[in-house]
């Protein structure tokens, strides 16, 4: 059987597996290459450095939530329920990442710390999606705010406990869902003016 071609996607999948097994401190490009059955030079042809590979893995991980959340942000219908759905989808995605694969989640926390520009772009994408929801709420007369971009940033900051990985330990506490509901209720009431 002919081996599958070496693609960036295959390399990123193998890198995740290697990071899960060895952690970010011990995982090497040689380990990734070995897992793929290729030379480390083959990996470097796709990713010029270990840092570039780690940044790409981080970007891939963060991008997983973009499509789902973008679909919610751009859906038809009233902005209030869409905002609530978007915040709930973000919280659920973060909980899944932390709960389903805690070793990989811990690894990503290290990678996120190393790749602050990647994280900054991710946050700006998320805030941009929030701004689109707020803008549609203003256009539709649901929200009484004058600066949708600033409001989106404030919404991001106000819900930090439910999406910032620094709070991951809180996401399984009793009462966290009620706390999330209370924050959403308060924010939506405040947007209505």
């Amino acid at each position: 059987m002919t081996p599958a071609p070496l693609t960036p996607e295959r390399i990123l999948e193998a890198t995740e597996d290697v990071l899960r097994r060895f952690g970010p401190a011990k995982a090497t490009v040689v380990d990734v290459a070995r897992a793929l059955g290729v030379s480390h030079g083959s990996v470097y042809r796709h990713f010029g450095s270990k840092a570039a590979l780690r940044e790409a893995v981080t970007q891939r991980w963060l991008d997983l939530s973009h499509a789902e959340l973008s679909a919610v942000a751009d859906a038809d219908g009233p902005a209030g329920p869409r905002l609530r759905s978007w915040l709930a989808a973000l919280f659920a995605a973060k909980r899944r990442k932390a709960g389903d694969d805690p070793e990989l989640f811990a690894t990503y926390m290290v990678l996120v710390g190393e790749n602050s520009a990647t994280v900054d772009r991710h946050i700006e994408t998320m805030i941009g999606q929030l701004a689109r929801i707020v803008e549609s709420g203003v256009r539709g007369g649901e929200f009484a705010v004058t600066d949708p971009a600033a409001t989106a940033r404030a919404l991001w900051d106000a819900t930090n406990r439910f999406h910032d990985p620094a709070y991951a330990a809180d996401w399984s506490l009793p009462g966290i869902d009620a706390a999330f509901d209370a924050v959403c209720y308060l924010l939506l009431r405040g947007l209505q003016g």
Side-chain angles (χ1 to χ4, degrees):
M1 175 161 54
T2 306
L6 186 63
T7 64
E9 186 64 24
R10 278 192 62 221
I11 294 169
L12 292 174
E13 289 171 4
T15 302
E16 282 188 357
D17 290 339
V18 167
L19 286 167
R20 188 180 288 114
R21 279 187 283 149
F22 301 118
K26 294 183 180 177
T28 68
V29 174
V30 172
D31 295 324
V32 173
R34 189 175 300 123
L36 290 164
V38 301
S39 71
H40 67 280
S42 297
V43 174
Y44 282 125
R45 278 193 275 289
H46 291 275
F47 299 96
S49 66
K50 180 179 178 179
L53 179 58
R54 289 163 74 105
E55 182 175 348
V57 168
T58 305
Q59 185 67 53
R60 179 177 189 253
W61 182 65
L62 294 172
D63 285 348
L64 290 175
S65 59
H66 290 184
E68 176 188 357
L69 293 170
S70 185
V72 174
D74 296 332
D76 293 329
R82 272 190 298 128
L83 176 59
R84 174 70 170 76
S85 293
W86 190 94
L87 292 170
L90 176 64
F91 187 28
K94 295 290 182 151
R95 284 169 106 170
R96 272 192 312 273
K97 287 177 183 174
D100 291 352
D101 199 345
E103 295 84 12
L104 193 56
F105 186 77
T107 295
Y108 280 122
M109 293 305 88
V110 172
L111 297 179
V112 162
E114 294 175 359
N115 295 295
S116 60
T118 302
V119 174
D120 291 345
R121 286 190 304 272
H122 166 71
I123 291 171
E124 290 311 312
T125 298
M126 298 291 93
I127 292 171
Q129 290 179 8
L130 282 170
R132 291 197 310 267
I133 297 170
V134 173
E135 288 166 358
S136 72
V138 170
R139 278 193 313 274
E142 290 177 70
F143 298 157
V145 299
T146 56
D147 187 342
T151 300
R153 171 63 72 175
L155 288 166
W156 181 260
D157 292 343
T159 57
N160 209 25
R161 182 178 184 205
F162 307 104
H163 58 77
D164 186 323
Y167 294 97
D170 290 358
W171 299 342
S172 59
L173 292 176
I176 193 69
D177 292 313
F180 176 76
D181 290 339
V183 168
C184 287
Y185 176 79
L186 181 66
L187 293 172
L188 287 167
R189 289 292 302 236
L191 288 171
Q192 295 168 1

